[in-house]
Amino acid sequence: DAKTTQPTSMDCAEGRAANLPCNHSTISGNEYVYWYRQIHSQGPQYIIHGLKNNETNEMASLIITEDRKSSTLILPHATLRDTAVYYCIVRGSTLGRLYFGRGTQLTVWP
Amino acid sequence: NAGVTQTPKFQVLKTGQSMTLQCAQDMNHNSMYWYRQDPGMGLRLIYYSASEGTTDKGEVPNGYNVSRLNKREFSLRLESAAPSQTSVYFCASSPLRGHAEKLFFGSGTQLSVL
């Protein structure tokens, strides 16, 4: 599975868009990009995933560059409840496991 | 639906004691996982079970054993607890094998070993 690089921390004003970057320069063709978040003391929560096309759901949008070496998670209108650690994970067809790094601590301020 | 249920939520052990962390899911998922999370670190995979009757080691399996009792339940056992096993433990499950897995996590067990 390819490794990912994320900034340690970011902040964002409430109501503004939060754009969280992730580099995965060693990604291979069959590997998906996943995003999870973990609100303090809770179990991680799945947000979104994609292979090469941009994806959107009720929580967020995922923009993957054409060369697939990086991606951006977009929370369009951040709220205080979006304050969490966000994990970007790249995973291929290896059965079984996702590896979580240290993620990005996103702080949304009023 | 309860999702993924872990028990207990909190536990304090003395060095050398044993205990079993329980995990059950009611989503008919095939795969189940145990992770640990230490302060300031991401989650590390201890063991996983791709399907009923199979288990495999993850990144940090030493000091732990697991049992996939049936499709619903996946337990983690500490035979002789050590202070280095003080951590928050998360159980997770996922419905699919292969690509595009989504993990559903429990709320965690905070374990302290004195």
Side-chain angles (χ1 to χ4, degrees):
Chain A
D1 295 334
K3 293 194 174 187
T4 63
T5 304
Q6 299 177 253
T8 302
S9 63
M10 298 182 63
D11 58 33
C12 175
E14 189 176 22
R16 303 297 293 268
N19 298 291
L20 289 86
C22 180
N23 287 324
H24 30 80
S25 58
T26 61
I27 193 170
S28 61
N30 64 348
E31 290 183 316
Y32 287 76
V33 180
Y34 288 80
W35 284 85
Y36 283 76
R37 73 180 183 183
Q38 186 175 24
I39 298 170
H40 182 63
S41 301
Q42 299 180 21
Q45 176 190 25
Y46 165 84
I47 301 173
I48 199 167
H49 75 278
L51 184 61
K52 53 185 177 182
N53 297 321
N54 297 338
E55 303 287 345
T56 296
N57 63 21
E58 65 279 4
M59 291 182 68
S61 295
L62 174 60
I63 308 298
I64 302 174
T65 58
E66 192 169 343
D67 63 7
R68 302 186 70 239
K69 294 184 185 300
S70 65
S71 60
T72 302
L73 178 74
I74 301 172
L75 308 178
H77 304 287
T79 70
L80 299 180
R81 287 174 294 182
D82 292 321
T83 292
V85 177
Y86 288 77
Y87 297 98
C88 169
I89 303 162
V90 172
R91 181 188 173 276
S93 59
T94 303
L95 186 64
R97 39 206 190 190
L98 290 179
Y99 288 100
F100 290 75
R102 297 196 179 191
T104 296
Q105 170 66 58
L106 174 69
T107 302
V108 181
W109 44 275
Chain B
N1 283 348
V4 178
T5 303
Q6 291 183 235
T7 56
K9 292 190 183 302
F10 301 94
Q11 183 70 51
V12 178
L13 294 177
K14 294 181 180 178
T15 297
Q17 286 185 316
S18 62
M19 79 159 295
T20 299
L21 280 62
Q22 307 286 352
C23 176
Q25 52 90 10
D26 61 4
M27 297 173 282
N28 199 36
H29 286 174
N30 288 315
S31 301
M32 298 186 73
Y33 312 80
W34 276 105
Y35 286 87
R36 62 176 287 175
Q37 185 171 36
D38 301 303
M41 300 186 68
L43 283 79
R44 293 183 292 170
L45 181 66
I46 306 171
Y47 270 94
Y48 68 100
S49 170
S51 61
E52 185 178 356
T54 68
T55 60
D56 285 285
K57 296 178 180 179
E59 298 174 83
V60 289
N62 291 345
Y64 305 95
N65 286 302
V66 290
S67 295
R68 184 73 183 268
L69 304 170
N70 47 54
K71 192 171 185 179
R72 291 187 63 249
E73 298 172 291
F74 188 40
S75 62
L76 179 71
R77 183 159 178 86
L78 287 70
E79 290 291 352
S80 179
S84 61
Q85 293 178 306
T86 293
S87 189
V88 180
Y89 291 85
F90 289 101
C91 177
S93 68
S94 66
L96 298 172
R97 300 178 63 174
H99 287 286
E101 290 195 14
K102 298 195 306 186
L103 296 183
F104 295 78
F105 284 84
S107 57
T109 295
Q110 190 165 323
L111 176 67
S112 296
V113 183
L114 306 177

